Amino acid sequence: MVFAYDTEAALVAAVALVNSAEPPVTMTTTEELAAFFAQHNYTGKLDGGQAELDAVHGILPRLRELLTSTRDETVDQVNEILAEAKALPRLVRHGDTDWHLHLVEDDRPLHVRILVETAMAMVDVIRADELSRLDICADGDCEALVLDLSRNRSRRFCSTTCGNRAAVAAYRARQAN
């Protein structure tokens, strides 16, 4: 494992959320937001309304920038997000999850909790000098993010679809020569 459980979970969720804005666009309904909430084991309140979905959509550009910036830029963004939210770390344990950090109260809006959890995950990424684990998909027609948690750092594509498209293109290029 590269990162602690809560760090990895926050990164996976943030990348999935940012990629939901890439074609094919997902997370367009409150039901999809509720499924995302459950799939990524978020805790705390979920209003489940259109306003909450709109607020989550509103943070997507900021999340994308946070996950793709240089190390120094990311540090500035992390500090800004944590200060804005008045983040106060505390250890919690719930469900099947052992002790981990929560930084804001469970009744804070979901988009704030997502931003803060992602910022805190980026603290670990920065400290471990592992920003290279986050990148843009190697498929030239795709702008989705890639989170490479593999041991050998070999993940280049956001999905099997993009990887297959690149393999087919490379095969056709070889056949043309």
Side-chain angles (χ1 to χ4, degrees):
M1 178 163 53
V2 177
F3 300 112
Y5 164 80
D6 52 344
T7 297
E8 187 173 317
L11 292 171
V12 167
V15 167
L17 187 57
V18 169
N19 287 347
S20 73
E22 296 297 321
V25 175
T26 56
M27 194 80 63
T28 58
T29 66
T30 56
E31 291 80 14
E32 288 172 324
L33 179 61
F36 171 84
F37 183 89
Q39 177 185 358
H40 293 283
N41 298 315
Y42 279 97
T43 57
K45 75 173 185 165
L46 175 68
D47 295 335
Q50 187 63 41
E52 185 171 58
L53 179 60
D54 293 344
V56 168
H57 282 164
I59 66 168
L60 294 182
R62 192 170 188 190
L63 275 180
R64 182 178 187 81
E65 184 179 1
L66 176 65
L67 296 170
T68 59
S69 293
T70 66
R71 192 174 191 199
D72 289 342
E73 293 167 342
T74 302
V75 167
D76 292 340
Q77 293 170 44
V78 164
N79 288 335
E80 183 178 297
I81 290 168
L82 296 177
E84 285 173 6
K86 296 179 178 40
L88 183 61
R90 66 188 190 288
L91 283 168
V92 297
R93 180 171 54 185
H94 48 79
D96 294 335
T97 307
D98 203 4
W99 293 108
H100 61 282
L101 289 173
H102 278 204
L103 295 135
V104 293
E105 300 79 16
D106 289 345
D107 63 349
R108 296 285 292 275
L110 178 59
H111 71 281
V112 171
R113 295 193 325 265
I114 292 170
L115 269 176
V116 169
E117 286 185 21
T118 305
M120 191 60 191
M122 291 304 290
V123 167
D124 286 350
V125 173
I126 293 163
R127 291 178 59 201
D129 198 15
E130 293 285 355
L131 259 70
S132 64
R133 299 238 177 224
L134 289 156
D135 206 353
I136 305 294
C137 183
D139 182 343
D141 296 330
C142 182
E143 290 295 316
L145 300 184
V146 176
L147 173 61
D148 185 358
L149 296 173
S150 67
R151 186 178 289 181
N152 65 356
R153 299 171 185 260
S154 60
R155 187 158 182 211
R156 298 176 35 227
F157 300 98
C158 67
S159 66
T160 304
T161 301
C162 284
N164 288 345
R165 185 173 29 243
V168 168
Y171 173 78
R172 288 182 179 154
R174 285 192 306 273
Q175 296 305 310
N177 293 330

